[in-house]
Amino acid sequence: MTQQYWVGDFFVDISRNQITHQDDTQILAPKAIAVLTALAQNQGKVVSQDALLDTVWANTVVSPNTLQRSIAQLRKALGDDGKVQVIIKTHAKQGYSLESNVKWQQEEHTQTPPQTTETLNQPVNNKSDVFQFTFKHAAAIIVSVALVILVFISLSEPTPAKLEIAKLNALTATDHRENAGIYSPDGEFVVFHRYEERLCINNIWAKSTKTQEEFQLTQQLNSHGSHTFSADGKSLYFIQEQDCRQPITQKQCYKLMGLDFAKSLRGAQTPTTLMECKNTRISTPIWMQGNQIALLQQTEQQWKLISYALNEQQSRDVYVPNEGSVIDYDYSLADDLIALTHVDGDGNYNLTMLKPDGTVLSQNQIELPPEIAKHRYIYPNFSPFKDRLMFSTGRQLFTLSYEGKISTIELPVDVPMGSPRFHPDGSRLLVIKGFYDRDMASVSLSELAAHYQDPLRDKHQQLYTIEERSITSEGGATFQPNGNLLAFYTFRSGIQQVWLKENSKVRQLSNFPLDSFIYGMHWANDGQSLLVNVSKELQQLTLAGETQTFSFNYPIEQLFYWDSQNQTALANIRINGIVKFAELDLSQLRYTILTNQPVNWAQKDSTGRLVYTDGLDRFWYSNTLENTLIETLNEQGSNLQFVIDNDIIYGINERFQLWRYSLETRQFNIIGDMPRNIDYLSDVRGDKAFISLRIEAKKELAELVLKQ
């Protein structure tokens, strides 16, 4: 087979795994070059994913993610844009095509990019020409030697071993949802959360990895957070979240709890409160040497790392950014070392390695590869690989060096997972597998009100209609202004995408890449496009599927509202790690801070006045001088969102009652009771309301056993 060819102005050398453009040579993975070659051999034609996988990875079991990573590498090397797609084009549900011209080199030609005709035919007849000729060849030799050195350096760098899976063991198989699994220090138990059906509360359970016997460790259902063992395995520590009796700055209070693990195996216990926070949040406890618990603590929207000394019952700061905020951390007991990710005052995303006393050993900026969205935060854990952390973006697994370099790990199974937790001996790791099933439903407000006012009503009567049903998550249903379309987002294609429904027909509108997540969506005023917050970046989608990206230099945490006529939007944004509520100017890519704290939800009425709920679920209404508290709606707010239709606010309180409040007449009334498995209210038009219902949250604990 011909070993060299041109793709446009790029010279490809298969034998050396190189792509050269204007004297700039890049070395790519052999499989990536093989993918490009397969596309080049079918230039202009669509090649299916299955055909590419069969050609490049023959007799090897890999997931489509592997191919998508190779495509991302090729696009980066070819200077292509994954959104514009000039050279390599993605054809939804079909495959890929190479759109650039391809010119194949003959076998007898040189294995370097050919010179121009004038250079090849120029006679060598004087000292100047001889010097020029010799210098060019010397330069070529120097470049070749430099490439060899670069290859040697890259090969000499520590690279993680491949994760080869021997088998997958199911650890739990109940009708409940399990999460947050960790191993005990001796590896003989797995400790995890088991959630009550339809409620966000759980008990902590343990399971023997030898006998498969299960043990309920806590007596009462509660909002238990992540947990950690002491090094000897005798004590279990975790966060418990409870309603504050007298909320001041937050509705929830946070407690650090302790549990005697051995006693709990003999019978469920009541945990002991070690520390309580009423005005700050704490999360992610990890036991450290010296009988200390490391914790993340949030004060004034900034997260910092602290440690709590169990013997002295005192806390101290370990790492507090001068500006910005801590994102996540992990601790290695074997190395007595902390790996911490944070955003600094310049908006840079950094990895800091430090000792538990706060001594910083190194700090490096994290370099995200093309296959990870540019505003995506990662949550790495220590791994068995030397000087490497490991994290997941959902269906892709990566390592992170202490210098901030990210490398891909290929898995032979396609199991979505969070950042993995390894067995103490490194022979296996815990994953969470399963699905979250959510359906779109509609409710007639008049029928709901009539049923609510009937004293003989059947409380169990189903008053909602399932509008769109699948075995995965559907949500965000919103009506098209002045039209009959319904927009929603779903995982039914394997990746969260925007879909449209008209009457009984549905079609996929977007084509977002792997591991994309949607954080809000809103129709344009004319109903001809949608603004979608995908992977914390705003994209406008037309009904024809065309896209426009608004590239702000910071993450858009949550999109609430879009005024397409004035090109403004309401959103929570993260500035240097701190989340604030802002109005965005999409035409100028600028923002105006409205509050220095994030809000729970926000909309505008027909006059353009702002309505939002704060961290205490209180409703505020903007006017000429200052924002005004809507006192009538005290105790009516919740985390289930609200909708404004014809200047009437529709919301759901914590008693699962749907209500309405007129901004014009200031009249309030309860409409009716909603099902307790409601996730949120998504839209209202006239007499019809759309809601999202939790059908099933089937999550199970599983164990990947590695080949030895």
Side-chain angles (χ1 to χ4, degrees):
M1 185 181 107
T2 303
Q3 294 294 300
Q4 298 88 29
Y5 58 96
W6 291 86
V7 175
D9 295 327
F10 292 84
F11 182 77
V12 183
D13 190 336
I14 300 174
S15 63
R16 300 184 182 185
N17 300 315
Q18 294 177 359
I19 295 180
T20 302
H21 182 251
Q22 297 179 351
D23 295 331
D24 180 19
T25 299
Q26 301 179 65
I27 299 175
L28 272 69
K31 296 296 187 184
I33 295 292
V35 170
L36 181 60
T37 302
L39 292 173
Q41 290 170 338
N42 296 274
Q43 189 273 335
K45 299 178 182 178
V46 178
V47 185
S48 69
Q49 289 192 18
D50 290 341
L52 288 170
L53 290 170
D54 291 341
T55 300
V56 179
W57 287 273
N59 302 319
T60 304
V61 180
V62 296
S63 72
N65 306 349
T66 306
L67 171 60
Q68 291 166 358
R69 288 192 290 268
S70 293
I71 293 292
Q73 294 169 12
L74 290 171
R75 283 179 170 151
K76 182 178 180 182
L78 297 171
D80 204 2
D81 188 332
K83 296 170 185 174
V84 179
Q85 300 181 1
V86 175
I87 299 178
I88 298 177
K89 186 175 181 180
T90 301
H91 300 266
K93 299 183 180 180
Q94 297 181 53
Y96 302 92
S97 65
L98 186 66
E99 300 298 321
S100 184
N101 291 329
V102 176
K103 180 181 178 181
W104 297 90
Q105 290 292 106
Q106 299 299 318
E107 288 289 345
E108 62 271 15
H109 281 191
T110 175
Q111 290 189 353
T112 58
Q115 298 169 320
T116 64
T117 304
E118 292 79 2
T119 303
L120 290 173
N121 295 332
Q122 185 178 8
V124 182
N125 56 12
N126 56 47
K127 291 183 179 179
S128 176
D129 290 336
V130 171
F131 176 79
Q132 185 181 26
F133 182 82
T134 306
F135 177 79
K136 288 181 178 179
H137 279 73
I141 294 172
I142 293 172
V143 170
S144 299
V145 172
L147 287 174
V148 171
I149 293 173
L150 287 174
V151 172
F152 175 78
I153 291 173
S154 65
L155 292 175
S156 63
E157 289 181 353
T159 56
K162 291 184 178 180
L163 288 180
E164 296 185 87
I165 308 302
K167 60 180 178 177
L168 187 149
N169 295 329
L171 297 181
T172 59
T174 68
D175 291 329
H176 298 284
R177 177 165 59 103
E178 284 89 17
N179 210 339
I182 63 171
Y183 289 103
S184 61
D186 57 12
E188 293 188 3
F189 291 92
V190 173
V191 174
F192 57 92
H193 294 159
R194 176 166 286 160
Y195 286 81
E196 182 71 7
E197 186 178 6
R198 309 198 191 288
L199 297 177
C200 295
I201 54 178
N202 58 67
N203 268 310
I204 302 178
W205 286 70
K207 182 167 187 170
S208 169
T209 57
K210 293 182 178 179
T211 67
Q212 307 304 308
E213 185 179 1
E214 292 188 349
F215 308 86
Q216 182 177 323
L217 305 182
T218 51
Q219 283 186 338
Q220 296 181 340
L221 287 165
N222 217 310
S223 294
H224 299 112
S226 61
H227 34 250
T228 183
F229 272 101
S230 59
D232 57 12
K234 294 181 179 180
S235 299
L236 187 70
Y237 303 99
F238 50 91
I239 302 298
Q240 193 176 89
E241 183 179 334
Q242 298 178 344
D243 291 338
C244 292
R245 293 183 179 179
Q246 294 180 333
I248 300 174
T249 60
Q250 58 189 28
K251 292 184 70 173
Q252 303 300 113
C253 292
Y254 298 82
K255 297 180 179 181
L256 175 63
M257 314 295 289
L259 199 65
D260 187 310
F261 184 63
K263 287 184 178 180
S264 299
L265 292 176
R266 297 192 293 268
Q269 301 290 309
T270 300
T272 301
T273 301
L274 304 176
M275 181 176 68
E276 182 174 5
C277 297
K278 297 182 179 180
N279 297 304
T280 63
R281 296 174 62 188
I282 54 174
S283 71
T284 323
I286 301 181
W287 192 92
M288 299 192 300
Q289 291 184 20
N291 209 22
Q292 302 178 83
I293 303 290
L295 296 156
L296 291 180
Q297 183 179 33
Q298 184 189 42
T299 305
E300 298 295 331
Q301 304 308 315
Q302 182 190 54
W303 286 93
K304 62 181 179 179
L305 180 66
I306 67 171
S307 67
Y308 179 76
L310 294 170
N311 295 336
E312 290 81 16
Q313 298 183 359
Q314 292 183 344
S315 64
R316 65 173 183 83
D317 293 340
V318 176
Y319 187 86
V320 183
N322 293 328
E323 293 181 277
S325 185
V326 173
I327 302 300
D328 190 41
Y329 81 104
D330 194 26
Y331 171 74
S332 169
L333 180 63
D335 298 328
D336 195 27
L337 185 64
I338 295 172
L340 179 143
T341 58
H342 66 99
V343 178
D344 62 24
D346 295 324
N348 298 318
Y349 193 25
N350 302 304
L351 172 67
T352 297
M353 308 301 297
L354 65 157
K355 301 297 288 183
D357 63 2
T359 302
V360 174
L361 303 178
S362 66
Q363 187 171 104
N364 293 283
Q365 189 169 336
I366 298 173
E367 302 175 11
L368 296 179
E371 53 265 46
I372 300 179
K374 70 176 184 178
H375 294 311
R376 180 74 177 263
Y377 289 134
I378 60 175
Y379 300 88
N381 294 327
F382 283 95
S383 75
F385 303 135
K386 181 175 175 57
D387 298 336
R388 300 267 178 152
L389 305 160
M390 187 179 294
F391 67 93
S392 169
T393 57
R395 289 193 238 179
Q396 299 180 97
L397 200 60
F398 302 88
T399 61
L400 174 66
S401 73
Y402 292 177
E403 290 74 37
K405 310 291 184 182
I406 292 176
S407 302
T408 304
I409 290 182
E410 295 183 3
L411 274 178
V413 292
D414 190 11
V415 180
M417 66 179 74
S419 294
R421 292 291 181 181
F422 280 87
H423 190 276
D425 64 10
S427 66
R428 60 196 68 196
L429 62 156
L430 287 175
V431 298
I432 304 295
K433 67 182 185 73
F435 58 88
Y436 193 93
D437 188 358
R438 177 194 287 122
D439 286 349
M440 295 188 307
S442 63
V443 177
S444 168
L445 301 184
S446 57
E447 291 181 8
L448 188 68
H451 182 262
Y452 182 72
Q453 294 166 7
D454 181 2
L456 301 177
R457 66 184 182 273
D458 178 5
K459 294 184 178 180
H460 300 288
Q461 181 181 349
Q462 180 174 304
L463 296 175
Y464 59 84
T465 301
I466 299 295
E467 294 284 349
E468 199 59 36
R469 173 78 181 110
S470 74
I471 60 172
T472 184
S473 177
E474 324 275 355
T478 178
F479 294 104
Q480 178 191 29
N482 306 313
N484 299 317
L485 292 176
L486 189 73
F488 64 100
Y489 37 84
T490 173
F491 282 95
R492 64 173 61 186
S493 64
I495 301 171
Q496 194 171 32
Q497 304 285 0
V498 176
W499 287 60
L500 296 176
K501 180 177 181 179
E502 185 172 16
N503 299 322
S504 60
K505 297 181 179 180
V506 296
R507 67 180 177 93
Q508 182 177 324
L509 179 64
S510 66
N511 188 28
F512 301 137
L514 186 69
D515 285 347
S516 294
F517 294 93
I518 295 174
Y519 302 92
M521 177 176 70
H522 203 280
W523 280 100
N525 300 57
D526 61 5
Q528 297 305 301
S529 62
L530 289 150
L531 187 66
V532 185
N533 181 14
V534 54
S535 299
K536 303 189 178 181
E537 189 171 46
L538 297 182
Q539 288 192 27
Q540 184 176 352
L541 298 177
T542 68
L543 297 183
E546 299 172 343
T547 64
Q548 177 185 356
T549 301
F550 299 95
S551 298
F552 289 92
N553 293 323
Y554 42 81
I556 310 298
E557 294 293 320
Q558 179 69 54
L559 172 67
F560 302 116
Y561 178 84
W562 178 33
D563 180 354
S564 62
Q565 185 173 354
N566 296 309
Q567 279 296 72
T568 61
L570 298 175
N572 282 337
I573 63 176
R574 190 181 291 266
I575 303 297
N576 299 337
I578 307 297
V579 181
K580 303 173 184 287
F581 176 46
E583 184 170 68
L584 305 179
D585 182 340
L586 303 185
S587 60
Q588 301 294 323
L589 298 183
R590 297 176 180 173
Y591 65 87
T592 301
I593 298 299
L594 300 178
T595 68
N596 284 318
Q597 295 81 31
V599 302
N600 288 346
W601 201 252
Q603 297 283 286
K604 284 189 176 182
D605 67 7
S606 62
T607 66
R609 290 200 290 181
L610 173 66
V611 178
Y612 69 89
T613 51
D614 62 15
L616 294 174
D617 290 326
R618 298 175 299 182
F619 280 82
W620 295 83
Y621 191 33
S622 66
N623 54 37
T624 55
L625 293 178
E626 61 181 3
N627 295 336
T628 303
L629 182 67
I630 306 178
E631 296 184 0
T632 304
L633 298 183
N634 286 349
E635 307 300 327
Q636 300 301 328
S638 70
N639 63 351
L640 303 180
Q641 303 181 179
F642 66 87
V643 173
I644 298 179
D645 181 55
N646 291 325
D647 291 339
I648 296 176
I649 304 176
Y650 294 86
I652 300 173
N653 59 32
E654 293 181 343
R655 296 178 296 281
F656 299 98
Q657 295 173 319
L658 178 64
W659 52 263
R660 61 183 155 212
Y661 173 81
S662 172
L663 291 169
E664 182 179 353
T665 65
R666 300 184 182 181
Q667 290 184 335
F668 169 85
N669 68 285
I670 300 292
I671 300 175
D673 294 317
M674 302 299 287
R676 297 184 70 85
N677 62 326
I678 185 172
D679 257 355
Y680 54 86
L681 173 70
S682 62
D683 205 359
V684 174
R685 176 183 285 181
D687 187 56
K688 195 172 187 178
F690 260 92
I691 59 176
S692 179
L693 294 177
R694 294 189 310 276
I695 303 302
E696 188 175 8
K698 187 66 173 177
K699 296 286 186 179
E700 299 176 359
L701 219 61
E703 187 177 58
L704 295 179
V705 181
L706 306 180
K707 288 183 179 179
Q708 299 300 312

